[in-house]
């Protein structure tokens, strides 16, 4: 997804969320969240479409993410909030054997919701979240003497607390 289409998706999500919450007359807050951390593979040995077995490092590097969420109160006088969100995560894994390159480039796009148990002005923000989306990975390879990139995609699922 190009930067322009990602921006359009976030803008559309923002407008729909604000428009949907406008009629409730509740205070709505939004947040942009920058993330970093690590992604760990459950199975580091994988076979892609070229039939080569690659052994990926189990932990990622250069991992970052960007999320946008809008908090909507569940009740006018209650501390609980629901926060629909969109999230983009990008990370890299090294692999062997090196088949034209040594680094897989992965991106994940998620759409989900969080349930916050405290008010936004609280110093702590315990929550439970769930999201689903789409992941894609590019792996460089050298097939038939030509540099190519293998594209692999899958569904993504996230539980967070």
């Amino acid at each position: 997804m190009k930067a322009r289409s990602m921006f359009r998706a976030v803008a559309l999500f923002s407008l729909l969320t604000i428009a949907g919450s406008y009629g409730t007359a509740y205070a709505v807050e939004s947040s942009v969240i920058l993330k970093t951390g690590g992604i760990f593979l459950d199975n580091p040995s994988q076979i892609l479409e070229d039939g080569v077995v690659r052994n990926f490092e189990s932990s990622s590097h250069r991992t970052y993410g960007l999320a946008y969420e809008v908090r909507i109160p569940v009740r006018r006088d209650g501390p609980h909030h629901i926060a629909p969100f969109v999230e983009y995560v990008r990370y890299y894994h090294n692999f062997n054997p090196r088949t034209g390159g040594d680094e897989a480039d992965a991106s994940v796009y998620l759409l989900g919701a969080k349930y916050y148990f405290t008010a936004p002005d609280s110093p702590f923000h315990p929550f439970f979240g769930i999201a689903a989306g789409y992941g894609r990975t590019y792996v460089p390879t050298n097939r038939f003497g030509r540099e190519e990139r293998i594209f692999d995609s899958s569904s993504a699922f996230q539980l967070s607390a």
Side-chain angles (χ1 to χ4, degrees), residues 87-102:
E87 184 173 352
Y88 169 75
V89 180
R90 189 165 187 181
Y91 57 95
Y92 300 85
H93 283 277
N94 289 332
F95 63 86
N96 283 309
R98 294 186 170 119
T99 53
D102 63 352

Side-chain angles (χ1 to χ4, degrees), residues 83-139:
F85 69 90
V86 293
E87 184 173 352
Y88 169 75
V89 180
R90 189 165 187 181
Y91 57 95
Y92 300 85
H93 283 277
N94 289 332
F95 63 86
N96 283 309
R98 294 186 170 119
T99 53
D102 63 352
E103 188 174 70
D105 177 357
S107 298
V108 179
Y109 305 90
L110 296 165
L111 178 62
K114 296 177 186 173
Y115 185 86
Y116 285 94
F117 299 99
T118 60
D121 59 353
S122 170
F124 300 103
H125 302 279
F127 70 90
F128 174 77
I130 188 167
Y134 171 78
R136 66 179 186 176
T137 303
Y138 291 107
V139 177

Side-chain angles (χ1 to χ4, degrees), residues 46-63:
Q46 299 182 21
I47 300 173
L48 300 178
E49 71 179 30
D50 63 351
V52 176
V53 176
R54 289 179 179 81
N55 295 306
F56 291 86
E57 287 182 349
S58 61
S59 61
S60 65
H61 61 277
R62 293 188 322 196
T63 303

Side-chain angles (χ1 to χ4, degrees), residues 25-47:
Y26 295 149
V28 174
E29 296 185 7
S30 63
S31 301
V32 173
I33 303 164
L34 299 174
K35 299 180 175 187
T36 188
I39 305 290
F40 299 95
L41 297 177
D42 182 42
N43 181 9
S45 180
Q46 299 182 21
I47 300 173

